Amino acid sequence: MMPEKSAIASAVRTAHADHAGDTGGANASYIPYLASVDPSLFGVCVATADGDVFEAGDAGFEFALESISKVCSMALAMEHTGLPEFHDKVGADPTGEPFNSVIALALHGGKPLSPLVNAGAMSTVSLIPAASADERWQKILAMQSAFAGRDIRLSDAVNDSEQSTNFHNRAIAWLLYSSGSMYSDPMEACEVYTRQCSTLVTTRDLAVMGATVAARGRNPVTGKQVFDPSLVPPILAEMTMEGLYTSSGDWAYRVGLPGKSGVGGGVLAIMPGTLAIAAFSPPLDPAGNSVRAQKAVASVAAALKLNIYNATDFAQ
Ligand code: DON
């Protein structure tokens, strides 16, 4: 059931006001660009499956999409392979290890387990049919833009910063290749994956991207069907299992909404059929999730009594 507009507006305002003074966490430092972003930035936004948008704070500031890009590429690859093949090749289980873990690959015969860790995301990118790196990239960029309902663009500053420091991901790409879990040239997949992380979005874009999933694959602002509705349940299942990395279980327990984070400071959560909650603030916890964005999203979800494990009818 859709909450009242006034209740959503108030939940967004309150989440921002209650956490505006919070400190804690530290910007990602392994990507030089991210270390330089102002840590005081803080935006909160809700977009509904009806296309209404409510925002507070720095919701118009553009930041690096990072790992949240994995959701868009997952939808693209699932559409091309079909769900059984995607599940078989990439997987749907939490790794229990950090998002860039090599040990996780070693423990599971080189299978990535999830499209939402770096290894699985590069496998995912390699599954998108393309004759060149540029074609692969253009398909992903078009998908991100369709999710957000506007032309999303690459930040050369973020991309240069990432591509020139990306040695660990390149090693993972070669390990995937050696274990048979890489379906294109490994360096092409790694390079395009790194570009997909280096696009700029606002907190508002993030909320509309989430609302596109909440609205069964149809962007509620543009009215365009972005991906097939049959992909929504597996996308949300993947987000539940690994969306916040080693904190995914804690997040499910405390908040109860499928979510996805990025080291740029974005956090997104989705109440299927209803709305998406997005927040952004650069300082991260040790798992790589924004400290303040997690708090803000949790605050909005609690205020609106949204939890997929506690259907509204039973929550009264
Ligand atoms: O590949 C990386 O490490 C980054 N481009 C993205 C990682 C990320 O966002 C993990 N998030 N919390």
Side-chain angles (χ1 to χ4, degrees):
M1 200 176 66
M2 185 65 76
E4 294 289 336
K5 287 187 190 189
S6 59
I8 303 174
S10 151
V12 168
R13 268 197 314 272
T14 303
H16 184 267
D18 284 356
H19 298 291
D22 289 5
T23 52
N27 286 32
S29 56
Y30 72 102
I31 298 170
Y33 176 95
L34 299 180
S36 73
V37 180
D38 178 356
S40 72
L41 288 162
F42 180 37
V44 185
C45 185
V46 164
T48 73
D50 300 333
D52 292 318
V53 176
F54 306 84
E55 57 185 60
D58 303 311
F61 180 85
E62 288 191 316
F63 58 94
L65 182 59
E66 298 296 346
S67 278
I68 305 168
S69 66
K70 291 166 180 165
V71 177
C72 301
S73 296
M74 160 167 62
L76 196 51
M78 282 172 166
E79 282 214 312
H80 286 291
T81 62
L83 292 171
E85 185 181 331
F86 185 84
H87 189 197
D88 185 50
K89 289 191 159 144
V90 183
D93 280 319
T95 67
E97 301 293 336
F99 60 80
N100 57 359
S101 176
V102 171
I103 290 173
L105 275 180
L107 288 174
H108 300 100
K111 188 174 169 181
L113 297 195
S114 166
L116 300 181
V117 294
N118 292 7
M122 287 188 276
S123 265
T124 299
V125 165
S126 79
L127 283 167
I128 297 165
S132 66
D134 193 55
E135 187 185 347
R136 197 178 300 282
W137 163 238
Q138 292 302 336
K139 282 186 179 178
I140 291 172
L141 190 60
M143 194 60 156
Q144 290 187 9
S145 298
F147 262 78
R150 74 170 180 107
D151 285 340
I152 296 297
R153 63 184 178 85
L154 183 75
S155 161
D156 289 330
V158 180
N159 190 44
D160 291 350
S161 185
E162 297 216 18
Q163 301 282 4
S164 60
T165 54
N166 209 14
F167 314 113
H168 189 90
N169 282 339
R170 279 181 226 162
I172 290 173
W174 279 116
L175 286 174
L176 288 165
Y177 185 71
S178 77
S179 64
S181 290
M182 177 58 79
Y183 306 96
S184 72
D185 175 81
M187 292 302 94
E188 178 179 322
C190 183
E191 202 259 336
V192 173
Y193 158 75
T194 304
R195 276 195 240 176
Q196 81 174 26
C197 292
S198 305
T199 56
L200 294 179
V201 294
T202 64
T203 312
R204 184 187 195 281
D205 291 328
L206 210 52
V208 175
M209 289 169 125
T212 298
V213 184
R216 306 184 75 245
R218 179 178 170 274
N219 183 312
V221 175
T222 63
K224 187 179 164 217
Q225 192 71 39
V226 177
F227 59 86
D228 194 84
S230 65
L231 305 186
V232 171
I235 287 173
L236 294 176
E238 298 275 17
M239 292 174 72
T240 301
M241 289 295 126
E242 189 60 72
L244 277 84
Y245 306 112
T246 47
S247 306
S248 299
D250 296 325
W251 177 260
Y253 190 103
R254 287 190 289 106
V255 182
L257 296 179
K260 185 72 206 87
S261 65
V263 286
V267 173
L268 172 64
I270 294 164
M271 180 69 190
T274 307
L275 54 74
I277 311 165
F280 155 69
S281 184
L284 310 179
D285 67 14
N289 303 314
S290 167
V291 172
R292 212 157 35 157
Q294 286 181 88
K295 287 184 186 171
V297 171
S299 161
V300 173
L304 299 177
K305 295 190 168 60
L306 299 174
N307 182 325
I308 60 166
Y309 305 116
N310 194 11
T312 311
D313 289 350
F314 299 106
Q316 305 304 321

